[in-house]
């Protein structure tokens, strides 16, 4: 499956929604995080809390090099008080992702959109 992504700030009010799928090569991964940073920067400039919902149900595992790039990108883009909910395909994947994608209270993994959205909106960032 080729790598694709979408970023939408109108689907759920107050939440930037992303969909990522396929196997990401380094170039697509870099482009995705540049676009991601642009959206987050615009929301910060408007004084909006950073709430991001990522549908990663069809994302293929990253190479170790790309995984390291993902973690550096998260550290560059997100700050304490931001929230990123990542939807994954199963509880097993959720457990595995929690082990490999530790980033404090900023990132959490979910199997359902409803749970992810509830978590995103339940915290005011203060």
């Amino acid at each position: 499956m080729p790598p694709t992504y979408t970023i939408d700030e109108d689907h759920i009010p107050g939440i930037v929604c992303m969909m990522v799928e396929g196997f990401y090569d380094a170039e697509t991964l870099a482009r995705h995080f540049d676009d991601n940073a642009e959206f987050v920067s615009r929301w910060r400039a408007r004084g909006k809390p950073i709430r991001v919902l990522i549908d990663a149900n069809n994302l293929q595992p990253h190479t170790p090099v790309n995984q390291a790039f993902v973690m550096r990108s998260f550290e560059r883009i997100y700050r304490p008080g931001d929230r990123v909910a990542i939807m994954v395909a199963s509880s097993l994947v959720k457990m595995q992702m929690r082990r490999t994608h530790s980033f404090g209270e900023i990132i959490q993994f979910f199997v359902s959109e409803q749970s992810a959205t509830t978590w995103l909106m339940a915290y005011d960032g203060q």
Side-chain angles (χ1 to χ4, degrees), residues 16-29:
V16 174
C17 295
M18 299 182 192
M19 183 277 307
V20 292
E21 62 184 11
F23 180 77
Y24 275 59
D25 55 81
E27 180 183 325
T28 305
L29 196 61

Side-chain angles (χ1 to χ4, degrees), residues 5-17:
Y5 66 91
T6 60
I7 303 175
D8 180 2
E9 59 185 317
D10 298 319
H11 179 66
I12 301 173
I15 297 176
V16 174
C17 295

